[in-house]
Structure formats: structure tokens, C-alpha cells
Amino acid sequence: MHLLGPSFLLLEYLAFSDSSPWKFEHPHTLYTWDGACVWIPCDYKIPGGKQMLENLTLYHNYHYDETRKDFSGTILYDTEKAGKTLPHRERVQFLGDKKSNCTIHIHPVSVNDSGCLGLRVTTKNDKWMEKINLNVSETPLSPHIQLPPEIQESQEVTLTCSLNFSCPGYQIQLKWSLEGPAVTSTLLTTKIVSTQSKLTFQPQWTHHGKNLSCQLWDPRAERILSEESVELDVKHAPESSRVEILPSPAKEGNKVQMTCVSPANPPPTNYTWYHDKKKVLGQTSKTFQIPAVLLGHAGYYSCLAENSLGTGQVGQEAELDVQYPPKEVTAVIQNPTPIREGDSVTLSCNYNSSNPEVSRYEWNFQGSWKKLLREVLIIEKVSWDARPISCAACNQWCSWAPSVSLDVLYAPRDVRVQQISPPSDIHSGHRVLLGCNFSSSRPRDVRFFWQKNGIFLKEGRDLTFDAISPEDAGNYNCLVNNSVGQTVSEPRVLQVLYAPRRLRVSIGPKDKVMEGKKAVLTCEGDANPPIFQYSWFDWKNQNLHHYDQMLRLDPVKVQHSGAYRCQAINRLGMGQSTPSTLTVYYSPETIGRRVAVGVGFCLAALLLAFWGVKLQKSWKKIRSQQGLQENSSGQSFFVRNKKVRRAPLSEDPHSLGCYNPVMEDAISYATLRFPVGDADAPITGDAGTPETEGPSPSRDDTVTYSVVQKHRVGDYENVVPESPEDEGIHYSELVRLGIGERPLAQEMVEYVTLKH
């Protein structure tokens, strides 16, 4: 194929060439792989035949440059620059000449070299661009195997393995997977570039269907570069036949399929079957099926195959083995009857025939399987509920015997107490009926007995309470026995529901306690269901608003003494206790304080009484002295506070001493009231200080005399201390002077005492 460029190329061609075109011969496409080499055989003919080639340039992926009016691309080789350094000069060689040979060798090649190669040749008057396709793969090329149209058994054939590659100097080999003489040749022309290997051999029927391989071998690296395989199709007559039986051995009653296997190409078209060397009529296909095999089908089978090339041979016979599980299997009890619970039992498993022989035995006992090598099963202690027992004799399959029952005798089972009435809760006073039930017994003839808390009550199946009471509550058992044994039921707790009763108040640690200690009152009683609320009341029947079972008094006081009672409530009613008395004694400290207070009151009362008597006597004395004063001409009197008894210093009848025992160690004031009309003037005290003040316009004729304390500097007027023991407060004498008779109006004397 020639590369015809745009129109300007045609013009260029016409301008520089004669009427004869350039002629090139080379492979259209060359194949190689990365790292190998490529040999491009090439011949050319210059138009006219008289010109010589001036220049040859090898481009890679060239294109025409409109600007330069010339071809551009990667230059792999240029004869004009052959002596100069080019990037690809060392691996590209021009092996041709300037007349007719344009062969090129490239070594090594890479994947990047794939594409279009352009061979630009020029003479003095002409030029040409020749296109060559180069295909470089990443992996080595695979060979191609050529087979003859038909291969028959024992006829010699020649097989060809070819590779579209040849490059002198690059060593490769083509190897066959079959043994035999092989001839390798190389074709390196402008038409074909290839390497071929021819194998000649005589096929046999065993070669049919086998894979034949041709490998591209690298002798330097001693490794396979690539390979190709084909399946041989060898024509031959049927070979010696054989029979395949599936399944084998076959179980009686199952489907069996027999197949006649006789290698042949083409496949056999007709078959003949034999059973124990006798021809089976009506069977001409490759397979022989028996839907349900019987013992009569057992024996030896063979077949004969036939195709278009001939008839085969009858091969080795195959045996149809019809197998079956053991037949007529039975389980037999060896020990005598009857069997009681806990006895030892021996059973054996028997059968009539089996193919293959029995290898083991299985027993179905109490819902579980046991595998034994012997036919005997020994049960050491048989249970009361022993189920029917069955055995199986096994080869590849198992045959089960009919089940046998042991008929074990046992005491009554699952004995229980049942509340017949009432169906729900039992209240005190109800009629209650209990029954004794059991699930099974062998033998069925039984007797019933009743116990309460382990004590025998009566015999019979039912237990009746006409009016049950709390005392009837307890654990009830029912006993059932037969000829084998006796069974006791689980205790049935009989609960009787009733309101709180027998309530009482217990006092702890005791009912007589000293104040300041702790007292705990507990409401004790009997109730079912339990009490959920308590109430407490004192001796005044007052609700203490305390709702716990225990009433704690900590610390207890004397005021807590008294009778207490409690009240309890459950969902059935209420109950009350009788009162219990709590006595609280005074503590020694309280008794001491109380005695001290009592003694103090008594002493105070005695003292008050004593001073009252004294005061009364003093008052009478003062009244008598006032009477004497009224009869005196000087109208004067004395008021004196004595601390101790002293002898009178003067017997002057004109002075009076008035002693107030209550006013001891005090400063006293006296107020003297006179009848209206008196015009007495105020007097000054003996100590030089005014003792009275003049009458106030707002007051009646009243003279107030002050009493002034005088320390130990001598007594006041008319009073002289007698003894040194008088170290108290001394009082002055107040003298009322006046002339004339005093009116008969009552005079009053008021005392005011200021303690110091």
C-alpha cells in the first residue's frame, strides 16, 4: 500500500518523477515483542532504472508539515547523517544498497516503536515515502498450530506450528508436547516473515481428545515464552467396551442405571447388552435403566458398541450387587416377667438375613439411641416410666424391630394434695375439702392416708374441715401405697386467713422504767395475711398518730406513765389489744431537785411565819408607844431599827425606840401623816442634814423623814452604841415636836425599804 499525501504531494511527484512510479516489496505488517528485534526485508525499484539512491530516511509516526512542505517525525535513521550521532543510530541498521535493497534491522525494539514507519527515499530527480506497519506487543507472540482436515487412527499426519516472527541473530525454538521427529524452518522474504516447525506422527485412538501444545522456547533463558494448545480429534472405531453401574452396590428397590462406555469417534450408534452372558432383548441404547432393582437383577453385565467405522469388542463384565437391610428383625425380652421398678432387664435383637452382614445394633431406649456391636442390651435399673423398646440391626442400612413393652410395676407416682374447695383463699370458718391425687400406679389398687406436720390423721382419699380455724393451718401430706411401695406427696401448706387476733402490748426492756431511759412498746399479735397498719392509744384513749408496730419512747418521761393499747388492721379486719401499763419512776437527780425545792419552800414558810410573829409583836409594841406619845407634852416619838439586843441608854420617857426586825441591813424611810390644820414646821436631823422637806402644795399635811445610814462615828441623837458588835446600819430617831393636842384622826406610818 502506498501513502498518497495531499494534492501538493501529487504535484511534487509529477515534478520530480517520470511516468514510472517507485516499486517497493516488503511485508505489509511486521510482528515482534518488547525486547526482541525486527528484520524488515525490503526491495525497491527506482523509476527509469538509471538513477541512484541519494538518501534514505526512516521516520517513526511521520506526518506532513504544511509549513515546511516536507515530512516530519521521529527520525530513526538517515543515510546522510549516518556518521553523525543520532538517538537511535546504534539500534537501527540499514542493510540495503543504493540500487534495489532497502532491508532494515532494528534491535532491540520497544512497545513505543509500534506504529507506522515511513521510508523516505530520494534521488537526484525523484523522491518517495513508503509506509511500513510495525506491531510490537508487550509479551512474546503466540505460535499457531495448523491441523489436517481429518485425523484417523493409525494414519500418519503432519502438524505445523508457525510463528509470525523471524530475526537473524535472535535465538528462539518451537517445541511440541508430543514426542516425534520435528523439522524447524525459517521464512524471511519480502512476502512472509515466519518461523515454522513440522511434526509428523501416527495417531492412536488414545490421542483423541488430548491436548497438543506448541511452545515458544527461549534457549538462552531456558524458559517458555508462549504456547498454544489444540485438542486432537482422532477418528476411530469403538474400542473394547466396559459397563459402569450407578449406584454400585445398589440398594434393593432403588433406581439403577448402567452405562456402556466404549471410546469411539464418531460416537457409537448401536449397543448390545448382555446379562450373565445372555443378550438382553430390547436394550440398544448406551444406558440401561432399572427403575426399582430387585434381587433377581443381580449378576454380571457387559455390552458391545458399533459406529460408522466398525464394531468394537465386548469388554470386562461388571457385577450388579443388589444389597438390602437386615430382614425380620425382632426384639426379645430375656428375663421373666413381671418386671418391677429398679430391676435389671436383658433384651436381644435378632434378624433373619442381611446383605451385607450386620455390623452393629442400635437401641431406642427412653427416647435416646445406643449403638452396640453385640445384639444384647442390659438395663441395670429399669425406671418406672420405661417406654417401649425397639432395636435395629444395621449393615449400611438399619431395619427396626417392632417395639416391645416392659410393663414395669411401680409405686404410685406424682402424689399431690389438691384443694377442692374453696377454690381460692381459705378464711377462718370456711368449709375446706382436700383431696389426694396421683398420676399413675401399677398396679392401680391403692390406699390413701393423711398426715399433718408428720402426724397421722386418718385414712381416706379426702380430708374435710367443716369450719376451719387458724389452728388447722399447717403442712399436710397425703400417702398412697400399692403392692409395690408407698409414695408421700410434697407438703401442702394450708394457710388460713383471719383478721388480727390475740393482740397484746409488750413493753421492753420492762414495764417499769426510770425516766431518761428508753422504753419500746411492741404490738404483738396473730394475723394472716400480715398486718399492714398499727395504731396506738394512751390511757386517755387518745390516738398517738403512730402507725408502726413499735412505739419508741426515747427518752421516756414521767408524763409517759399510763396504760397503752394498740390496734392492728389487715385486709380482713381489725383487732385491739388490752391496755398495758407503763410505769416511769423519777430519777435520783429529779428526786434530789424536788426534795431541795420542797425543803426550800418549807424553810421559806417557816421563816415567813417567824418574821410574821415578830412583826406582829413589833407592831403591838409600836402601837403602845404611840399611845404614850400622845399623852406626852412634847409630842415627840422615836423610831429606831435595832440589829441586836442592847440595853437602853436612857430611861427618858420622852423618847421611844421602834425596832423593825424585817428591815435589818436596810435604809428605811418613814412617812408620817397628820390631821389637817397642823402647822408644824419641818425639822432638821441630828446629823446636820435635812431629814424632811416642807409640805408640798399638792400633798396633805404629810412629813416625810429620811433615814440616813451612819457609819461607825457614834450613834445619832439619843442613841449611843453600847457594844462593839453593833457594826450594822444605825438609824436616827425622828422626833415630832408640837404643842397642843393631836386630833383623834388615825395616823399612818409607811415604810419603804431600799436594800443595799
Side-chain angles (χ1 to χ4, degrees):
M1 176 181 181
H2 298 286
L3 178 63
L4 299 179
S7 58
F8 65 88
L9 292 177
L10 179 60
L11 294 176
E12 181 184 23
Y13 171 75
L14 293 176
F16 292 95
S17 65
D18 54 15
S19 58
S20 299
W22 288 72
K23 293 183 179 180
F24 279 84
E25 291 184 0
H26 58 80
H28 180 265
T29 303
L30 292 107
Y31 299 92
T32 184
W33 59 90
D34 186 53
C37 63
V38 61
W39 188 281
I40 306 175
C42 177
D43 292 335
Y44 68 95
K45 183 177 182 181
I46 302 174
K50 296 180 180 181
Q51 301 185 60
M52 297 292 291
L53 183 67
E54 292 185 356
N55 185 45
L56 184 145
T57 304
L58 182 63
Y59 288 91
H60 178 249
N61 292 335
Y62 64 91
H63 65 280
Y64 186 77
D65 190 349
E66 294 286 350
T67 303
R68 297 175 51 250
K69 302 299 181 180
D70 198 358
F71 290 94
S72 297
T74 303
I75 299 176
L76 301 179
Y77 182 81
D78 191 344
T79 56
E80 292 182 354
K81 301 177 181 180
K84 299 181 180 180
T85 302
L86 291 174
H88 306 279
R89 182 178 62 84
E90 294 183 356
R91 69 188 188 97
V92 178
Q93 294 179 347
F94 176 64
L95 304 178
D97 52 33
K98 296 183 178 181
K99 293 182 179 181
S100 61
N101 190 355
C102 55
T103 302
I104 296 175
H105 177 250
I106 303 175
H107 182 269
V109 294
S110 65
V111 177
N112 296 329
D113 294 330
S114 291
C116 179
L117 299 178
L119 191 62
R120 182 66 166 172
V121 291
T122 59
T123 63
K124 183 177 181 181
N125 299 323
D126 203 357
K127 52 186 174 182
W128 185 263
M129 175 65 79
E130 181 69 16
K131 178 182 178 182
I132 303 174
N133 294 318
L134 178 61
N135 189 336
V136 181
S137 61
E138 293 183 358
T139 58
L141 302 175
S142 295
H144 176 66
I145 299 176
Q146 295 178 346
L147 300 177
E150 182 176 295
I151 302 176
Q152 288 194 9
E153 182 182 15
S154 301
Q155 294 183 4
E156 187 177 88
V157 294
T158 300
L159 308 179
T160 302
C161 177
S162 61
L163 179 70
N164 293 330
F165 173 83
S166 179
C167 184
Y170 192 85
Q171 297 182 7
I172 57 170
Q173 292 180 3
L174 294 177
K175 288 187 175 183
W176 294 91
S177 60
L178 289 178
E179 296 292 337
V183 178
T184 301
S185 62
T186 299
L187 295 177
L188 192 61
T189 67
T190 57
K191 302 293 184 181
I192 299 175
V193 175
S194 69
T195 301
Q196 293 183 349
S197 176
K198 295 183 178 294
L199 174 66
T200 302
F201 82 110
Q202 189 174 16
Q204 301 297 326
W205 71 270
T206 55
H207 290 143
H208 177 71
K210 298 293 181 65
N211 286 332
L212 175 66
S213 299
C214 178
Q215 299 174 346
L216 176 61
W217 178 261
D218 184 354
R220 292 174 298 178
E222 294 185 352
R223 64 187 182 94
I224 299 174
L225 298 179
S226 63
E227 70 175 324
E228 182 181 66
S229 299
V230 295
E231 183 178 340
L232 294 178
D233 184 12
V234 180
K235 306 295 183 179
H236 61 92
E239 300 298 325
S240 179
S241 61
R242 60 185 177 86
V243 176
E244 292 182 350
I245 301 176
L246 293 175
S248 179
K251 182 181 179 182
E252 181 183 15
N254 287 354
K255 177 183 176 181
V256 173
Q257 177 174 299
M258 293 178 286
T259 304
C260 184
V261 180
S262 179
N265 189 20
T269 57
N270 187 52
Y271 294 88
T272 303
W273 286 90
Y274 300 92
H275 177 213
D276 293 337
K277 301 186 182 300
K278 295 180 181 179
K279 184 177 180 180
V280 180
L281 300 178
Q283 295 293 334
T284 59
S285 62
K286 183 178 181 179
T287 59
F288 179 12
Q289 292 185 355
I290 302 176
V293 68
L294 302 175
L295 294 179
H297 292 136
Y300 293 91
Y301 288 83
S302 60
C303 63
L304 180 65
E306 180 182 355
N307 68 356
S308 59
L309 298 180
T311 303
Q313 297 179 357
V314 176
Q316 185 178 359
E317 295 179 326
E319 181 184 6
L320 174 58
D321 183 15
V322 179
Q323 297 183 347
Y324 56 91
K327 297 180 180 294
E328 300 181 12
V329 180
T330 57
V332 180
I333 301 174
Q334 300 294 333
N335 55 324
T337 57
I339 301 173
R340 298 167 65 95
E341 180 182 5
D343 288 350
S344 177
V345 179
T346 301
L347 299 97
S348 63
C349 190
N350 303 329
Y351 67 95
N352 184 15
S353 62
S354 174
N355 183 26
E357 291 297 324
V358 172
S359 58
R360 72 183 190 282
Y361 297 87
E362 293 186 3
W363 293 88
N364 184 358
F365 173 63
Q366 294 296 95
S368 62
W369 276 262
K370 290 186 178 181
K371 296 181 180 181
L372 303 175
L373 296 178
R374 298 180 56 213
E375 69 274 13
V376 177
L377 172 67
I378 299 176
I379 304 173
E380 295 295 339
K381 292 184 178 180
V382 68
S383 63
W384 67 273
D385 58 347
R387 300 177 185 178
I389 299 177
S390 178
C391 74
C394 303
N395 43 32
Q396 293 180 359
W397 308 275
C398 292
S399 295
W400 287 92
S403 300
V404 294
S405 179
L406 299 182
D407 294 331
V408 180
L409 301 179
Y410 55 91
R413 306 293 303 183
D414 193 21
V415 178
R416 62 194 179 279
V417 177
Q418 181 181 4
Q419 179 179 319
I420 300 175
S421 66
S424 58
D425 294 341
I426 300 175
H427 291 195
S428 179
H430 283 181
R431 185 178 186 276
V432 177
L433 176 61
L434 302 180
C436 184
N437 291 330
F438 64 96
S439 60
S440 61
S441 174
R442 189 175 182 89
R444 295 286 299 177
D445 186 15
V446 296
R447 297 178 65 187
F448 300 88
F449 302 93
W450 288 91
Q451 288 180 348
K452 176 187 177 183
N453 298 331
I455 301 175
F456 174 77
L457 289 179
K458 56 168 290 194
E459 180 180 356
R461 185 159 191 170
D462 298 331
L463 181 62
T464 305
F465 300 90
D466 293 330
I468 198 165
S469 65
E471 286 72 19
D472 293 325
N475 296 330
Y476 287 82
N477 300 87
C478 123
L479 296 81
V480 184
N481 64 15
N482 60 9
S483 59
V484 177
Q486 177 174 275
T487 306
V488 181
S489 71
E490 291 292 328
R492 175 64 181 261
V493 180
L494 190 63
Q495 292 187 352
V496 181
L497 304 181
Y498 51 93
R501 64 171 192 165
R502 298 176 181 174
L503 295 179
R504 70 182 188 90
V505 176
S506 64
I507 303 175
K510 52 186 177 180
D511 57 357
K512 295 179 182 180
V513 66
M514 184 181 296
E515 67 171 345
K517 303 296 184 178
K518 179 175 70 173
V520 180
L521 285 71
T522 305
C523 188
E524 299 177 350
D526 185 16
N528 190 18
I531 298 168
F532 62 83
Q533 180 178 332
Y534 293 87
S535 298
W536 287 89
F537 299 88
D538 62 7
W539 58 94
K540 297 178 182 179
N541 203 29
Q542 293 181 351
N543 192 337
L544 300 181
H545 300 289
H546 186 79
Y547 303 103
D548 293 335
Q549 185 179 6
M550 291 187 295
L551 176 62
R552 299 178 183 273
L553 303 176
D554 187 12
V556 68
K557 300 178 181 179
V558 176
Q559 293 84 351
H560 292 150
S561 295
Y564 292 84
R565 64 182 180 87
C566 67
Q567 179 179 288
I569 301 174
N570 67 359
R571 65 181 177 86
L572 297 182
M574 177 185 68
Q576 296 189 27
S577 70
T578 57
S580 294
T581 302
L582 172 64
T583 303
V584 182
Y585 293 105
Y586 284 115
S587 64
E589 294 82 2
T590 303
I591 294 174
R593 288 194 300 269
R594 297 263 177 152
V595 170
V597 172
V599 171
F601 278 125
C602 292
L603 292 177
L606 292 175
L607 186 59
L608 289 176
F610 174 75
W611 287 113
V613 173
K614 283 282 190 180
L615 183 60
Q616 184 177 12
K617 290 181 180 181
S618 298
W619 176 255
K620 288 180 180 180
K621 187 175 181 180
I622 293 172
R623 293 291 293 177
S624 62
Q625 290 177 357
Q626 286 180 353
L628 294 176
Q629 184 179 359
E630 291 177 356
N631 295 328
S632 65
S633 59
Q635 296 183 354
S636 61
F637 64 93
F638 301 94
V639 178
R640 182 174 60 185
N641 186 8
K642 294 182 179 181
K643 293 187 68 175
V644 296
R645 292 177 179 265
R646 63 180 72 178
L649 299 178
S650 175
E651 299 295 337
D652 189 356
H654 299 287
S655 62
L656 297 175
C658 184
Y659 170 67
N660 185 359
V662 182
M663 307 302 292
E664 187 178 7
D665 295 334
I667 300 174
S668 301
Y669 294 85
T671 302
L672 282 74
R673 300 181 186 274
F674 298 96
V676 179
D678 293 343
D680 298 336
I683 319 173
T684 59
D686 295 328
T689 60
E691 294 183 347
T692 62
E693 297 179 357
S696 173
S698 61
R699 297 181 55 185
D700 294 337
D701 291 338
T702 302
V703 178
T704 303
Y705 298 90
S706 61
V707 180
V708 182
Q709 184 177 6
K710 181 68 174 178
H711 295 286
R712 297 182 60 182
V713 294
D715 205 346
Y716 298 106
E717 184 181 358
N718 300 328
V719 179
V720 178
E722 179 183 7
S723 63
E725 66 187 31
D726 188 10
E727 298 177 356
I729 299 175
H730 296 269
Y731 297 89
S732 64
E733 291 183 350
L734 302 180
V735 180
R736 175 71 167 89
L737 301 178
I739 303 174
E741 296 181 354
R742 299 186 62 87
L744 297 178
Q746 183 179 358
E747 296 183 356
M748 295 170 34
V749 179
E750 298 178 355
Y751 295 91
V752 178
T753 303
L754 298 179
K755 300 278 187 177
H756 65 86

